[in-house]
Amino acid sequence: MKTAHHRIPRCRESLVLYVAVLLGALCLLFLANLFVGSVRIPFDAVVDIFMGREVEKATWSFIVLQSRFPQAVTALFAGASLAVAGLMLQTVFNNPLAGPSILGIDSGASLGVALVMLFLGGSVGTAGAIHLSGSIAVVLAAFAGAVLILGIIILFSTWVRSNIMLLIIGIMMGYITSSVISLLNFFATAEGVFSYTLWGMGNFSGVSLQQLPLFCTLLSVGLLMAVLLIKPLNALLLGERYAENLGVNVRLTRIWLLVSTGLLTAVSTAFCGPVSFIGLAVPHMARLWMGSSNHKGLLPVTLLLGPAVALLCNLISVIPGSSGVIPLNAITPVLGAPVIIYVIVNQKKIQYFN
């Protein structure tokens, strides 16, 4: 039975308005991330840097082009990827509390990083940026750990037809990896534990300008896969049996959904750390704003709202200025947790997934 929150927006113009507002907000937030940072750089100097003109201090050009710009682009793509991954997982598992961390994929990435930092002695800088000598090892380890867990989940998905059972398997995989990480922490050095803790706080500064093309390309592939899955996602809203009657191969669709969400989560976590709440809360924010669960409108809005929230969190993190940078995972729960609490309290009233 259709509810108010399953309606498509009244007209195409409404969706165009949503997209236009989000694009405007994205542009403003992206520019704000370029002009505002922990180091104060004059407004006209930033403009001169992007115009190719010389500025008073050479370090300003380095900060803007080698730090702020890659960081803003990273927040843009990571925010979109985590939000879209969360939306697809909530739909396929028919669960409003499903998110990129629910399948243990980011736990697998954390395990890979823990092996490098705690067992092999890798480290990160004091500001949370990975040292050049260990950056490739850390990213590869995180990606390998995430892909390993994803492969296990996909393997189980070929045997287990129940989404609930698959969800439980993912949660159990997360517990197993967390247990191994705890053991590694127990036997690690104080420096290794400190380095791993910094990585676990999440940040968008782990992608260098040279790594940016690879980062953006991998996430673009995952996002393209998500866009191509819009019709099956809408069919799954009505239930698996109804989707099968419409000609949707539910098992194959579920595998492709896992591959897409796994790629988006694995790459984002490998480069940015386990960023919390964006994948869980942003899809609900999009649904509440649109009043619809139709993915033809919901997915594009989520795709734009995710980076807007990520850029806002990144901007808030530099508010202390020269005093330091606030950890990303100290900010995202403050914005995301109230949304989840509202959804839980009003779940019967909202009825997203009926």
Side-chain angles (χ1 to χ4, degrees):
M1 185 173 68
K2 293 183 178 180
T3 67
H5 285 268
H6 286 108
R7 291 195 302 266
I8 302 173
R10 291 192 182 92
C11 58
R12 185 171 295 179
E13 287 76 11
S14 299
L15 179 58
V16 172
L17 178 62
Y18 294 141
V19 171
V21 170
L22 285 172
L23 283 174
L26 268 179
C27 291
L28 291 174
L29 286 167
F30 188 86
L31 290 173
N33 274 265
L34 297 178
F35 285 92
V36 179
S38 56
V39 177
R40 186 183 177 279
I41 301 176
F43 182 90
D44 55 348
V46 177
V47 174
D48 288 339
I49 290 169
F50 282 103
M51 294 296 291
R53 295 192 286 261
E54 292 187 5
V55 291
E56 182 181 339
K57 297 180 180 179
T59 53
W60 289 350
S61 295
F62 180 85
I63 290 170
V64 172
L65 297 177
Q66 300 291 329
S67 178
R68 290 185 186 177
F69 177 73
Q71 196 169 343
V73 175
T74 300
L76 196 73
F77 276 84
S81 300
L82 292 172
V84 169
L87 171 64
M88 291 193 293
L89 289 171
Q90 288 168 12
T91 299
V92 73
F93 288 113
N94 195 32
N95 190 328
L97 297 181
S101 62
I102 201 68
L103 292 178
I105 298 172
D106 62 348
S107 297
S110 298
L111 176 60
V113 173
L115 286 171
V116 170
M117 292 186 176
L118 304 177
F119 186 70
L120 300 178
S123 62
V124 298
T126 55
I130 301 168
H131 286 315
L132 182 61
S133 59
S135 63
I136 296 176
V138 169
V139 169
L140 288 178
F143 189 74
V147 169
L148 175 63
I149 299 299
L150 173 63
I152 294 172
I153 296 298
I154 291 175
L155 181 63
F156 273 110
S157 73
T158 61
W159 300 330
V160 180
R161 292 189 61 87
S162 170
N163 283 334
I164 299 298
M165 292 299 103
L166 194 61
L167 194 67
I168 293 173
I169 290 171
I171 294 172
M172 293 303 104
M173 293 302 300
Y175 278 123
I176 292 171
T177 55
S178 296
S179 177
V180 176
I181 292 170
S182 296
L183 288 172
L184 289 171
N185 269 298
F186 181 80
F187 292 105
T189 63
E191 182 184 353
V193 173
F194 177 72
S195 298
Y196 180 75
T197 302
L198 285 178
W199 179 84
M201 291 179 179
N203 70 88
F204 294 130
S205 60
V207 183
S208 67
L209 194 60
Q210 292 73 29
Q211 295 171 331
L212 204 57
L214 175 63
F215 177 78
C216 296
T217 300
L218 290 173
L219 292 183
S220 295
V221 171
L223 292 172
L224 178 60
M225 291 171 62
V227 171
L228 296 176
L229 290 167
I230 285 178
K231 286 186 177 180
L233 284 168
N234 276 340
L236 287 173
L237 282 175
L238 302 172
E240 289 191 5
R241 289 186 179 180
Y242 192 90
E244 288 175 348
N245 291 334
L246 292 176
V248 175
N249 187 328
V250 174
R251 179 169 291 189
L252 184 61
T253 298
R254 186 167 59 175
I255 290 175
W256 279 111
L257 280 166
L258 290 174
V259 171
S260 176
T261 56
L263 178 62
L264 294 172
T265 305
V267 175
S268 298
T269 306
F271 282 92
C272 307
V275 180
S276 64
F277 275 97
I278 290 180
L280 184 60
V282 170
H284 291 298
M285 294 167 66
R287 289 190 190 96
L288 291 169
W289 188 26
M290 292 183 64
S292 169
S293 288
N294 187 298
H295 289 79
K296 288 184 178 179
L298 184 59
L299 194 142
V301 169
T302 304
L303 184 67
L304 295 173
L305 187 58
V309 172
L311 286 167
L312 176 61
C313 291
N314 194 60
L315 190 63
I316 294 173
S317 71
V318 299
I319 284 178
S322 57
S323 300
V325 177
I326 301 173
L328 197 59
N329 281 340
I331 300 169
T332 51
V334 176
L335 298 179
V339 176
I340 302 304
I341 293 171
Y342 177 84
V343 169
I344 293 172
V345 172
N346 296 278
Q347 190 173 358
K348 291 184 179 179
K349 189 186 301 183
I350 298 172
Q351 293 182 324
Y352 285 145
F353 302 98
N354 290 343

